[in-house]
Amino acid sequence: MADLDLTQTHTGLTDTYAARRYFAKFDAISNHLVRVAAEMENERSLSKLDVKILREYLAAIGNTFSALANKYMMTGRDTGTFFGSLTIDRVESGFPTYQEILTMANDAQQSTTHLRNMPSSDEIKDDMVRTIVGDLAIPTRLQFALSQRLYYEALLEQDMFWAQNDPVAIWQKSTDDRKSYVISWAVYDSQSNLPVIYLMDVEDTGKTALPKDSRRWPEVQRHLMAQSVGGLKVLTIAKGFDQDFDDLHPKRLRRFHIGPMYSSAFTEQAGPIRDVLAAAQSREGEDWALAWTVETLVSERIEMEKTGWFSKAERQIFKIDPFAVVADQGATSIERALILPERPYQALDELAPAGFSNIRKFVVGQGGRVLSYR
């Protein structure tokens, strides 16, 4: 198979106002995602802890977009220096490319040095006032300097969604012979250019509490990050974990795909979603739809497997949906949802394209109110 020509799928937002509209759209979407998670908690498809964990990752995604908005605030303006534009995946995801997230991580490592060599925000603002009042000029280059300072400050002070977000274990409960945890981690997938969040319910029969185990916990973290590849099925990930750790038992694994984002203004979607967005004729800022997909794998029962001359270990037998729409999907269930404003939802309802009837719809109304439709 020929390599994918990224020049055909990735594009830079070189216009100032287009870049600002893009970031304003994602700022609103980030807030809607939190409300969608809360709605799923209300209907008990997510637990209170699930929502707490997801909110932290969703907030980090929002912080990432806010930081990038500062970095590229002066896109298309004469800043006195060569400065590129935000590169987005306009075909597959609608999100910034993986390379943008890697570059941001590199910038974060050097943020302290950059800030040390920059004037303070107050000094830059004072210079801007003098330029406007004294020189009667637009302080474009000073605006650029301020935007870069705000960018580096955000990287230093806020939690960001990095290319790899290492596993965190939250204790749930303990019995005489085992402890229960929820392990969460996340990646910015390099193939799909999308944030992907993992939640795994694990029972621990080891002697030392997992997060305090200096041997097992680093191994668990390395293992999970190495397996966090979008092309791997959740069944493959869970079975590999089950085989590699005899005293850790994965009871449930969920993978949340945040996106793609579809918008007539920024992406080149194909098929029914293109017709829906075209028919909606939405106002600026409401011309979008965001996919939200959850893959769930659940342990159905256990079997004992001999691991040595005198030892045995639990092995999970995972439940796979025999009636899955996609053959060999490697999950107990896959739930797909679409988050969209009212006008695109109305267009979707009127056009009723094939394949959308079984997709959950979260409709964003006035004041950010979220309504759920099946």
Side-chain angles (χ1 to χ4, degrees), residues 138-204:
I138 299 174
T140 304
R141 297 186 180 185
L142 290 169
Q143 289 174 318
F144 174 72
L146 181 59
S147 72
Q148 299 312 291
R149 179 164 189 97
L150 293 175
Y151 170 60
Y152 288 115
E153 286 178 348
L155 294 182
L156 195 63
E157 297 170 1
Q158 298 178 352
D159 291 329
M160 298 291 162
F161 195 98
W162 305 111
Q164 292 190 333
N165 304 271
D166 288 345
V168 175
I170 299 177
W171 173 82
Q172 286 284 83
K173 62 180 180 180
S174 298
T175 60
D176 291 340
D177 63 340
R178 63 186 64 204
K179 296 166 283 291
S180 297
Y181 299 94
V182 174
I183 301 177
S184 65
W185 69 101
V187 298
Y188 201 92
D189 189 80
S190 61
Q191 299 300 311
S192 65
N193 293 307
L194 289 176
V196 182
I197 303 167
Y198 294 82
L199 271 66
M200 183 165 65
D201 299 349
V202 175
E203 292 183 357
D204 178 14

Side-chain angles (χ1 to χ4, degrees), residues 25-52:
K25 188 186 300 288
F26 263 102
D27 180 59
I29 289 174
S30 296
N31 292 327
H32 299 325
L33 287 174
V34 173
R35 297 187 183 102
V36 167
E39 177 62 26
M40 296 178 79
E41 180 186 356
N42 290 338
E43 63 186 28
R44 301 185 183 280
S45 57
L46 290 176
S47 71
K48 185 175 182 179
L49 178 59
D50 293 337
V51 172
K52 179 180 181 296

Side-chain angles (χ1 to χ4, degrees), residues 69-366:
N70 283 323
K71 179 180 181 179
Y72 292 109
M73 182 182 295
M74 302 305 292
T75 292
R77 300 293 181 89
D78 179 11
T79 61
T81 183
F82 174 77
F83 194 74
S85 56
L86 176 75
T87 305
I88 66 170
D89 182 346
R90 62 186 171 87
V91 174
E92 297 295 333
S93 78
F95 277 67
T97 61
Y98 179 71
Q99 186 59 47
E100 288 284 357
I101 307 303
L102 289 182
T103 300
M104 189 180 72
N106 184 66
D107 290 342
Q109 290 181 334
Q110 304 177 66
S111 58
T112 302
T113 301
H114 283 291
L115 290 170
R116 187 187 307 124
N117 296 324
M118 284 181 169
S120 69
S121 295
D122 288 340
E123 290 173 324
I124 297 173
K125 289 175 183 177
D126 287 343
D127 287 343
M128 289 170 64
V129 171
R130 282 191 287 270
T131 301
I132 295 169
V133 176
D135 301 337
L136 301 180
I138 299 174
T140 304
R141 297 186 180 185
L142 290 169
Q143 289 174 318
F144 174 72
L146 181 59
S147 72
Q148 299 312 291
R149 179 164 189 97
L150 293 175
Y151 170 60
Y152 288 115
E153 286 178 348
L155 294 182
L156 195 63
E157 297 170 1
Q158 298 178 352
D159 291 329
M160 298 291 162
F161 195 98
W162 305 111
Q164 292 190 333
N165 304 271
D166 288 345
V168 175
I170 299 177
W171 173 82
Q172 286 284 83
K173 62 180 180 180
S174 298
T175 60
D176 291 340
D177 63 340
R178 63 186 64 204
K179 296 166 283 291
S180 297
Y181 299 94
V182 174
I183 301 177
S184 65
W185 69 101
V187 298
Y188 201 92
D189 189 80
S190 61
Q191 299 300 311
S192 65
N193 293 307
L194 289 176
V196 182
I197 303 167
Y198 294 82
L199 271 66
M200 183 165 65
D201 299 349
V202 175
E203 292 183 357
D204 178 14
T205 51
K207 294 181 179 179
T208 304
L210 179 60
K212 297 180 180 180
D213 193 316
S214 59
R215 179 186 63 82
R216 291 187 304 155
W217 182 231
E219 291 177 0
V220 166
Q221 291 179 306
R222 284 195 298 270
H223 177 98
L224 292 176
M225 295 312 303
Q227 296 298 304
S228 302
V229 180
L232 288 180
K233 297 175 181 146
V234 287
L235 176 63
T236 303
I237 296 171
K239 288 182 71 172
F241 185 87
D242 193 35
Q243 288 289 331
D244 284 0
F245 299 97
D246 289 346
D247 49 15
L248 294 173
H249 317 292
K251 296 299 182 179
R252 181 174 62 166
L253 174 61
R254 286 168 292 171
R255 178 162 61 185
F256 297 77
H257 302 263
I258 312 301
M261 188 278 289
Y262 308 99
S263 168
S264 296
F266 297 104
T267 63
E268 295 185 8
Q269 53 279 337
I273 198 69
R274 176 184 59 195
D275 300 331
V276 167
L277 292 175
Q281 297 183 335
S282 301
R283 294 174 297 181
E284 183 178 307
E286 296 183 2
D287 170 38
W288 60 271
L290 183 90
W292 167 296
T293 303
V294 184
E295 299 172 85
T296 301
L297 181 71
V298 177
S299 174
E300 190 172 29
R301 66 182 192 279
I302 64 171
E303 291 183 352
M304 300 305 295
E305 177 182 276
K306 191 173 182 180
T307 57
W309 287 104
F310 306 105
S311 59
K312 292 183 179 180
E314 292 182 16
R315 296 297 180 221
Q316 309 302 309
I317 306 299
F318 296 100
K319 181 179 180 181
I320 302 298
D321 183 4
F323 304 106
V325 175
V326 179
D328 193 27
Q329 67 182 15
T332 306
S333 65
I334 298 180
E335 183 175 11
R336 293 177 173 85
L338 200 61
I339 306 163
L340 66 177
E342 289 178 330
R343 288 185 67 88
Y345 171 70
Q346 290 169 359
L348 178 66
D349 189 51
E350 291 170 4
L351 293 174
F356 282 77
S357 60
N358 293 326
I359 294 178
R360 289 282 304 281
K361 291 90 176 175
F362 292 98
V363 181
V364 180
Q366 294 294 325

